[in-house]
Amino acid sequence: MSSVPTQSWVMPAVALWQREVQRFLRQRSRVVGALATPVVFWVLVGSGFGRSFRGGDASEMNYLEYAYPGTIAMILLFTAIFSTISIIEDRREGFLQAVVAAPVHRSAIAFGKIMGSTTLAVFQAVLFLCLAPLAGVPISFFPVLAMVGACVIVAIGLSGLGVMIAWPMESTQGFHAIMNLFLLPMWLLSGALFPSSGASPWLGWVMALNPLTYGVSAIRGTLYYGQEGALAGGPSLVTALLVSIAFAFAMTVAATMIVGRKR
Amino acid sequence: MPEDTNPIIEITSLTHRSGDRTALDNVSLGVERGSIVALLGPNGGGKTTLFKILTTLLTPTSGAASVGGCDVVLNQADVRRRIGIVFQYPSLDKTLSVAENLTCQGHLYGLRGSNLRQRIASSLDRFGLTDRARDRVATLSGGLQRRVELAKSLLHQPEVLILDEPSTGLDPGARATLMDQLTELRDQDSVTSLLTTHLMDEADRCDRVAVLDLGKLVANDTPDALKSRIGGDVLTIQTKSPGELAKRAEEKFGVKAVVIDGVVHIEREKGHEFVPDIIEAFPGEIDSVTVGRPTLDDVFLQLTGHALGDESQEGDKGESR
């Protein structure tokens, strides 16, 4: 027979990334859903809490503005998680069986999926950025660019986490349980809604151990780069970025290992 | 290229156990280059286990299997490049178009650029899908989806095609088309096909039939040779109480009578001479009697002692997924 193709790592990863984006753009409800939920949440919670949220380090900004970086983290979380849930559907609908039987290294599968999910998450976050002026968030070119970079790092970590959870799962129900018990609390206790400075000591510890705390701080810190008190008592920008990068790296490695296992 | 006479698929003493269940029991089988072979058997017979081992998705407990000289365990990547796989359940992304699915598959197999575009164009043409290339897979009929599935599995020009119950969900017309396509692939590109099936008429259209029952290979021959194992004719008798009639016929004539799908089957030399005897023996009870050459159904029955569709004989059918 003619040309037996050589094993490639990049092409399969690119193929899976491309498919993720194509699917997303085709399912309009997903584009709207992943964006609308956080926006509604942000407006309702932001307006509702606004009056009771006074004092602390964040006294200079209104609550809508305080919750803005946290909402971006929520968008990243939702999009990354929902797009990695599709692994379960892919398995059920059969697409995945052809992928795992192809001459493709498993790490390329994990990487393609993480990159696809990261692309969608960051794309949604950038859409949400268009609402920044409404929140009174100052927008200028370099901080926004840096923030998009921070979003990429955070999204890689969350996508890796999503792949890790979704790969061994048989049904999406299980994923929803994990979403409610683990991922939502992770977001709630990330400094997205309230700073750790106001929390009780044990909660402060939980928040300090929560990787997403550093993600939210990285987003907040880049967006308000150079502004005193913007981090509202959270970790410093350098710490936040370093921890987020480490988290992204660890999750990518862990996801690759789980995908590499034979089921 | 010199003619290679070694079997393209070689299975040697292959055994697979999961828990205390033996899904494959010391199976040895060679598949000749450029042939179409059916793996026939009931659900739980071991077909799917064998399919998974040959497609490198499952590691056997013992024994060996190779495709094109490459061991399915030790040389996984080479095997994967040599085989095209058609799964029992669709592996297409329904939200993508036909062409997008093929492009994705091509990339997974390391194909790209104009080479890939050419292959996609020619495979769309071959399977009569050119005008549906931009349609989403979800909008295609089951038969057309299967054709895309076949086009997808052939994109990297494999030497061997391995199909798991390829006729699942297909109407008889689409099923016949599929067999025509496999025949054409064999004749034009000397592609070897190995397909699992529980349908006799499908097995009948293959070059060889390997019969798997309860994990054991009980026969491996051409359909005609298998049928000639049954010397005589087969009488099929329609009646209102087949079970009872079969029993009485066995007592009266000393023949073996078996009920398949509510019809009594009796194997007998010179079947036409037996027809009046049986009608006179059970007056008014017989609706019709047909005398025919044996079918693969009869062969399967003779080989295994039970009918192919006979669920009660299969025991635990929990074939490992």
Side-chain angles (χ1 to χ4, degrees):
Chain A
M1 284 297 276
S2 60
S3 58
V4 172
T6 49
Q7 188 151 3
S8 153
W9 193 89
V10 179
M11 287 307 294
V14 169
L16 294 174
W17 168 82
Q18 189 183 352
R19 164 179 180 259
E20 204 67 31
V21 175
Q22 281 171 331
R23 275 172 73 88
F24 182 76
L25 294 176
R26 219 148 276 184
Q27 297 167 317
R28 292 285 150 77
S29 61
R30 273 178 73 189
V31 185
V32 176
L35 197 59
T37 314
V39 169
V40 168
F41 204 81
W42 175 58
V43 170
L44 293 183
V45 171
S47 325
F49 278 1
R51 304 208 179 280
S52 32
F53 190 87
R54 290 283 181 270
D57 297 323
S59 55
E60 294 304 312
M61 50 177 87
N62 67 39
Y63 191 72
L64 266 182
E65 193 181 349
Y66 176 82
Y68 188 80
T71 308
I72 289 183
M74 190 191 213
I75 290 171
L76 296 178
L77 178 72
F78 273 29
T79 317
I81 293 304
F82 285 128
S83 115
T84 47
I85 280 186
S86 68
I87 289 176
I88 300 171
E89 289 160 27
D90 287 346
R91 196 185 291 287
R92 210 184 47 222
E93 287 169 11
F95 178 79
L96 204 60
Q97 61 187 349
V99 177
V100 299
V104 175
H105 199 273
R106 290 290 179 95
S107 61
I109 300 176
F111 196 75
K113 198 75 193 177
I114 290 174
M115 281 302 129
S117 156
T118 298
T119 306
L120 306 187
V122 173
F123 171 76
Q124 298 277 52
V126 169
L127 277 188
F128 185 65
L129 260 178
C130 305
L131 295 178
L134 294 180
V137 178
I139 285 229
S140 51
F141 185 71
F142 286 106
V144 164
L145 200 66
M147 195 212 75
V148 172
C151 284
V152 171
I153 297 165
V154 175
I156 290 175
L158 294 172
S159 302
L161 182 65
V163 170
M164 255 172 78
I165 300 171
W167 190 265
M169 279 211 168
E170 300 288 339
S171 74
T172 45
Q173 281 96 325
F175 207 113
H176 289 304
I178 287 189
M179 183 83 194
N180 290 335
L181 285 171
F182 176 66
L183 297 174
L184 268 181
M186 182 170 130
W187 177 78
L188 285 170
L189 299 177
S190 66
L193 287 178
F194 54 87
S196 61
S197 53
S200 64
W202 70 270
L203 213 54
W205 269 106
V206 174
M207 290 172 77
L209 291 173
N210 178 359
L212 197 53
T213 303
Y214 301 89
V216 171
S217 285
I219 295 167
R220 199 187 296 282
T222 44
L223 197 56
Y224 291 96
Y225 185 73
Q227 292 183 34
E228 289 291 317
L231 282 173
S236 76
L237 180 58
V238 173
T239 315
L241 281 173
L242 286 179
V243 172
S244 297
I245 289 170
F247 180 67
F249 183 74
M251 288 301 107
T252 306
V253 170
T256 305
M257 283 169 64
I258 286 193
V259 171
R261 262 188 351 206
K262 265 210 166 169
R263 272 171 53 102
Chain B
M1 199 167 75
E3 198 68 22
D4 192 344
T5 50
N6 289 330
I8 192 149
I9 300 178
E10 256 190 302
I11 299 166
T12 320
S13 311
L14 203 62
T15 297
H16 187 75
R17 292 191 193 88
S18 56
D20 55 357
R21 219 179 70 86
T22 305
L24 281 180
D25 191 357
N26 199 22
V27 170
S28 296
L29 177 71
V31 172
E32 221 176 283
R33 198 175 286 270
S35 60
I36 303 176
V37 176
L39 276 176
L40 177 73
N43 294 326
K47 291 173 302 183
T48 300
T49 307
L50 188 52
F51 167 82
K52 285 192 167 169
I53 291 172
L54 289 177
T55 54
T56 75
L57 295 172
L58 190 68
T59 308
T61 312
S62 67
S66 68
V67 179
C70 305
D71 189 276
V72 295
V73 178
L74 304 173
N75 217 341
Q76 233 182 50
D78 286 326
V79 172
R80 289 180 176 201
R81 277 193 285 273
R82 282 178 163 73
I83 59 173
I85 309 172
V86 177
F87 294 91
Q88 178 174 8
Y89 298 103
S91 71
L92 301 169
D93 186 331
K94 292 200 170 70
T95 53
L96 299 188
S97 73
V98 173
E100 284 165 344
N101 265 289
L102 294 178
T103 306
C104 185
Q105 173 80 356
H107 288 167
L108 287 176
Y109 280 78
L111 302 166
R112 57 187 298 181
S114 59
N115 177 27
L116 177 59
R117 279 195 297 276
Q118 258 168 26
R119 287 197 194 197
I120 290 176
S122 69
S123 82
L124 287 173
D125 185 46
R126 160 172 231 160
F127 292 102
L129 291 162
T130 306
D131 55 336
R132 306 302 297 267
R134 291 168 159 277
D135 292 3
R136 290 193 200 177
V137 169
T139 64
L140 304 185
S141 69
L144 277 180
Q145 288 190 15
R146 248 315 97 151
R147 260 196 256 174
V148 181
E149 201 83 49
L150 198 58
K152 174 179 163 175
S153 69
L154 289 165
L155 205 56
H156 62 290
Q157 298 176 342
E159 302 160 66
V160 178
L161 201 54
I162 303 180
L163 310 95
D164 192 15
E165 300 276 354
S167 54
T168 301
L170 293 191
D171 57 62
R175 218 186 284 161
T177 309
L178 179 76
M179 289 309 293
D180 290 341
Q181 280 155 349
L182 295 186
T183 310
E184 193 187 305
L185 281 165
R186 178 195 65 191
D187 297 342
Q188 289 181 5
D189 307 284
S190 55
V191 173
T192 310
S193 293
L194 180 69
L195 56 111
T196 70
T197 183
H198 64 278
L199 299 171
M200 290 294 178
D201 55 345
E202 202 162 75
D204 215 354
R205 291 203 49 185
C206 296
D207 299 324
R208 288 184 84 85
V209 181
V211 183
L212 271 177
D213 188 48
L214 301 172
K216 286 193 168 70
L217 186 73
V218 292
N220 170 26
D221 221 326
T222 63
D224 286 340
L226 285 174
K227 281 184 241 172
S228 68
R229 289 189 187 193
I230 294 181
D233 301 316
V234 174
L235 275 79
T236 48
I237 302 160
Q238 303 265 8
T239 172
K240 289 191 180 54
S241 48
E244 193 200 334
L245 189 116
K247 220 173 94 192
R248 281 160 54 204
E250 281 186 348
E251 283 163 11
K252 192 167 172 69
F253 297 104
V255 294
K256 185 159 170 49
V258 188
V259 182
I260 303 170
D261 294 333
V263 179
V264 182
H265 288 235
I266 296 175
E267 189 196 319
R268 179 90 182 189
E269 294 277 341
K270 294 189 177 141
H272 58 279
E273 291 173 10
F274 186 52
V275 173
D277 298 348
I278 196 123
I279 289 174
E280 273 166 36
F282 307 107
E285 289 180 56
I286 292 173
D287 297 333
S288 76
V289 180
T290 323
V291 182
R293 299 292 305 147
T295 62
L296 279 178
D297 275 292
D298 303 306
V299 175
F300 188 83
L301 184 66
Q302 201 208 30
L303 286 168
T304 66
H306 60 89
L308 187 57
D310 192 351
E311 300 283 323
S312 64
Q313 296 289 331
E314 290 165 29
D316 180 19
K317 302 201 302 307
E319 207 155 305
S320 64
R321 283 203 42 161

